[in-house]
Amino acid sequence: MASALQYCFLILIFGIPLHECAAVLLNGSCIPVEPCFDLSVMANIAERVSKDVTAADGEKILLRHSSFDKIRKRKNLHSCVLLKIISLFQNVLEKTKKNDIHKGEELNHHVELIHIMDQLKNCVYKTKNRCRNLYEMSNKTPSPMIWKKDMTPNQLAVLQLQKLKSAKSKLNDVHIQETVMDELKTLYLYMQGKGFRKNTRMTKEKHGVQ
């Protein structure tokens, strides 16, 4: 038992990239903890769906990573924003499903990605009423007239929510659809961070859910 604990400790200290090790031992071995969802699966399917989409011109819907990283580091902000991002992308995928160019393949990647969006919603941390407060703020607060690099995480979250809301109000606009489909290629990068739950099993055990 002592040697097994020492082994786990070394993995955690030196960051050996084998598996995430849960704080649980079974038969003297560490139990590998699987992520809530393997984002590489999403990245591969999104690439297949959007590989023939021409890069959209004009302003992007999702903030640049340098700005979004500030949101990502705040779990509650990240979670609330992620839910709106997933909702928008799912809506656009539903809108463009009839134009799916992969129907001849054995697996309909477009439809599969729609199902993945549902799974991703379950992987986002639940934040109770905090999202509602943030959403109300984004509806009432005008966009800050300062450089994004000078914005606080809250201001950037509000700005991102406003951009998502604006895009959602124009779902029938082909340009908006093309922009979303183009941004699908890097969407998985926005999911990574404190607002994305690592493991559903551990979360359920923590709250006594069977």
Side-chain angles (χ1 to χ4, degrees):
M1 177 67 75
S3 60
L5 287 172
Q6 290 173 351
Y7 178 69
C8 286
F9 182 76
L10 289 173
I11 290 177
L12 293 173
I13 292 297
F14 294 105
I16 300 173
L18 298 177
H19 293 285
E20 289 188 59
C21 181
V24 180
L25 289 174
L26 182 63
N27 296 328
S29 301
C30 290
I31 301 174
V33 178
E34 298 297 331
C36 178
F37 184 87
D38 187 349
L39 289 174
S40 64
V41 173
M42 173 189 172
N44 291 335
I45 297 181
E47 180 65 30
R48 288 175 177 268
V49 169
S50 60
K51 65 181 180 180
D52 297 321
V53 178
T54 304
D57 296 326
E59 186 177 357
K60 300 292 186 181
I61 296 172
L62 299 179
L63 295 175
R64 292 182 180 274
H65 291 291
S66 57
S67 297
F68 197 85
D69 279 346
K70 290 185 179 181
I71 300 174
R72 193 199 319 269
K73 293 175 182 177
R74 300 291 184 87
K75 182 173 65 177
N76 292 322
L77 290 180
H78 191 204
S79 297
C80 297
V81 171
L82 281 184
L83 290 173
K84 291 296 185 180
I85 290 176
I86 293 170
S87 176
L88 173 66
F89 278 70
Q90 190 172 32
N91 287 339
V92 170
L93 285 167
E94 291 282 0
K95 280 275 187 183
T96 58
K97 184 169 58 175
K98 62 181 181 297
N99 299 322
D100 184 21
I101 60 175
H102 302 286
K103 289 181 179 178
E105 297 185 12
E106 182 178 347
L107 178 66
N108 189 323
H109 300 294
H110 203 118
V111 174
E112 185 67 20
L113 196 54
I114 292 174
H115 294 326
I116 284 175
M117 293 295 166
D118 276 328
Q119 296 177 53
L120 292 175
K121 289 177 184 176
N122 295 325
C123 286
V124 175
Y125 278 103
K126 303 301 183 288
T127 57
K128 297 184 179 180
N129 295 326
R130 296 184 182 181
C131 284
R132 183 172 61 188
N133 296 335
L134 181 63
Y135 297 157
E136 289 178 356
M137 185 187 303
S138 69
N139 290 331
K140 298 176 182 178
T141 305
S143 299
M145 301 301 292
I146 59 177
W147 293 104
K148 292 185 181 68
K149 66 178 182 179
D150 296 325
M151 289 185 185
T152 65
N154 277 71
Q155 289 173 324
L156 286 167
V158 166
L159 177 61
Q160 180 63 89
L161 289 170
Q162 290 172 342
K163 289 168 68 69
L164 292 167
K165 183 179 180 181
S166 176
K168 190 171 183 178
S169 68
K170 305 171 186 175
L171 281 183
N172 291 324
D173 187 330
V174 174
H175 178 72
I176 293 296
Q177 294 177 9
E178 290 176 345
T179 300
V180 168
M181 297 302 287
D182 178 42
E183 293 187 25
L184 266 175
K185 299 168 186 173
T186 58
L187 180 59
Y188 72 99
L189 294 173
Y190 289 83
M191 300 294 164
Q192 299 170 346
K194 293 183 178 180
F196 197 81
R197 190 167 61 228
K198 282 289 184 184
N199 178 265
T200 50
R201 179 180 61 78
M202 289 189 70
T203 302
K204 289 179 179 178
E205 290 177 354
K206 180 178 179 182
H207 292 88
V209 179
Q210 299 298 324

